[in-house]
Amino acid sequence: MKISTLFKTGALLLPFAFAGVAETAQAQVNLVYSTYVAQGSTSNRQYEVFLDELSARTNGFVKVKDKLYLSALMKAGDHLTGVGKRVADVGYFCTGYTPALLPLTSMAELPYVSDKGDAVSAALHEMYETNDALRREYHKQNVELVAFDAPSATIIGVNKEIKSAADLKGLKVRAYGDLGKIAGKAGGMIPVPMSTAEIYTSMQTGAIDGYIGIPLWMPGPENWLPLTKTLIAPAMGTYYTCGLVMNLDLYKGLPDNVKQEMAKMRREFPKKSIALVEEGDAATVKDAQAKGVKFYRFTPAEVDAWKKTTDYDALKAEWIKTRQARTDANVEEYLKQYQAILAKYVPQSNYEQRFPK
């Protein structure tokens, strides 16, 4: 199903001037944008801002015709492949829903690596531009990576007052990938796989007691706070790689100056994304305080205990092994390259996940 339209025009259009040279094209690109999250969520807002800016910077040559939210067009796990099939022209995806398709990308989801989401985003963008194997991962799905989010460190939210990590034992929580395994092994929780779209109803009915694998900015706009009694910072670092992709056939047909502008915007995106993350974090904290939600941050001893119980070295080795089975690239070498680039960007980040004291 092809929803987008390339509108042919009788006259040449002037999309924008690039590097002082006016370039022309013979078509205007109207996009269909799809996401599975709510319109007000940070993960949606940042890409609407991105697409609006792309339209402005191309003088309306590229613009969004239709926007579909909350899985109106595709389910969460269908967005990567759906955009490749041109069900939508651009779409929001998260690696955790299709990890087998993006084994190299998913290495950036390794827990306890960094809580600096803008550094993670910047490192992934540099890797995408310099590492052929990572780029092939997306082109194999017939999509072009437009931008990566600046992810934030995971939180845990539960419908019980928590005063120590031990209080989490036995609680059923929505899980996200390997974070669910860690929560189960180290925290004694019961992981329940489901998408974020199912969390509210599942908490309301008692099917789950809370959630893990969620950024701080999310519980507010998703309306989970009325069902939440404590928000917890387990200091597990960033845990997701999400972003915006464009159908590759559509991308290849764009004028070179449009592609160059998109690449420039991609490199600018980490700082813009993290600014919206900080804004969303603050809004959730303020809303949570107004609703009487408590906050708890793991002590250093509790963080170390979770890592030890998980056997972090074994976990890392298993990550490399499972992802190596899904790619011809050398995953261990890829991880070393990614972490070296990440280390370059971490000192440039001022982001902190702020909980009330």
Side-chain angles (χ1 to χ4, degrees), residues 32-38 43-44 47 67-98 101-102 138 141-144 195 197 242-248:
V32 170
Y33 163 68
S34 178
T35 184
Y36 56 88
V37 300
S43 52
N44 173 67
Y47 288 117
K67 302 174 182 179
L68 298 106
Y69 312 103
L70 290 171
S71 300
L73 184 59
M74 293 180 282
K75 294 180 180 178
D78 295 335
H79 272 72
L80 183 71
T81 55
V83 171
K85 295 174 182 176
R86 202 73 178 273
V87 177
D89 301 305
V90 288
Y92 180 69
F93 78 98
C94 281
T95 303
Y97 289 114
T98 53
L101 302 180
L102 301 171
Y138 289 86
Q141 304 308 318
N142 200 39
V143 297
E144 174 72 10
S195 73
C242 301
L244 188 73
V245 288
M246 175 180 281
N247 177 271
L248 186 58

Side-chain angles (χ1 to χ4, degrees), residues 110-112 178 182 310-320:
L110 187 66
Y112 299 108
D178 285 274
I182 295 173
T310 301
D311 192 349
Y312 186 69
D313 289 340
L315 173 69
K316 182 178 177 180
E318 182 64 21
W319 271 59
I320 294 172

Side-chain angles (χ1 to χ4, degrees), residues 150-343:
S152 55
T154 189
I155 61 166
I156 304 171
V158 295
N159 59 3
K160 174 183 176 181
E161 187 170 347
I162 300 298
K163 296 183 178 180
S164 73
D167 294 338
L168 294 167
K169 186 176 181 179
L171 297 182
K172 302 186 296 294
V173 292
R174 176 267 183 182
Y176 184 95
D178 285 274
L179 286 185
K181 297 177 184 177
I182 295 173
K185 186 173 182 179
M189 290 180 278
I190 302 168
V192 183
M194 66 175 63
S195 73
T196 56
E198 301 172 88
I199 290 177
Y200 181 83
T201 300
S202 297
M203 287 191 72
Q204 196 175 42
T205 61
I208 59 174
D209 301 302
Y211 39 84
I212 188 173
I214 296 297
L216 179 56
W217 51 257
M218 199 168 192
E222 296 293 338
N223 200 35
W224 301 333
L225 293 177
L227 305 173
T228 303
K229 290 189 177 180
T230 311
L231 292 175
I232 303 113
M236 298 173 74
T238 62
Y239 66 96
Y240 65 90
T241 47
C242 301
L244 188 73
V245 288
M246 175 180 281
N247 177 271
L248 186 58
D249 297 323
L250 172 62
Y251 174 79
K252 286 180 177 178
L254 295 175
D256 286 343
N257 59 342
V258 174
K259 294 176 183 175
Q260 291 162 4
E261 195 68 18
M262 289 175 66
K264 182 179 178 181
M265 291 178 64
R266 182 166 56 215
R267 290 189 288 271
E268 296 169 356
F269 192 63
K271 290 183 179 180
K272 296 179 179 181
S273 177
I274 203 68
L276 285 171
V277 166
E278 290 174 323
E279 181 183 311
D281 283 359
T284 285
V285 168
K286 183 178 180 180
D287 192 10
Q289 288 178 302
K291 288 180 169 60
V293 176
K294 305 296 183 182
F295 294 83
Y296 181 75
R297 186 177 293 277
F298 273 25
T299 66
E302 289 172 331
V303 175
D304 289 342
W306 270 42
K307 287 184 71 174
K308 183 177 180 181
T309 304
T310 301
D311 192 349
Y312 186 69
D313 289 340
L315 173 69
K316 182 178 177 180
E318 182 64 21
W319 271 59
I320 294 172
K321 179 181 177 181
T322 56
R323 285 147 182 83
Q324 188 61 72
R326 299 167 179 166
T327 180
D328 293 332
N330 186 318
V331 176
E332 188 170 5
E333 288 303 313
Y334 171 88
L335 179 60
K336 289 179 182 177
Q337 183 183 355
Y338 164 73
Q339 291 187 316
I341 292 175
L342 177 64

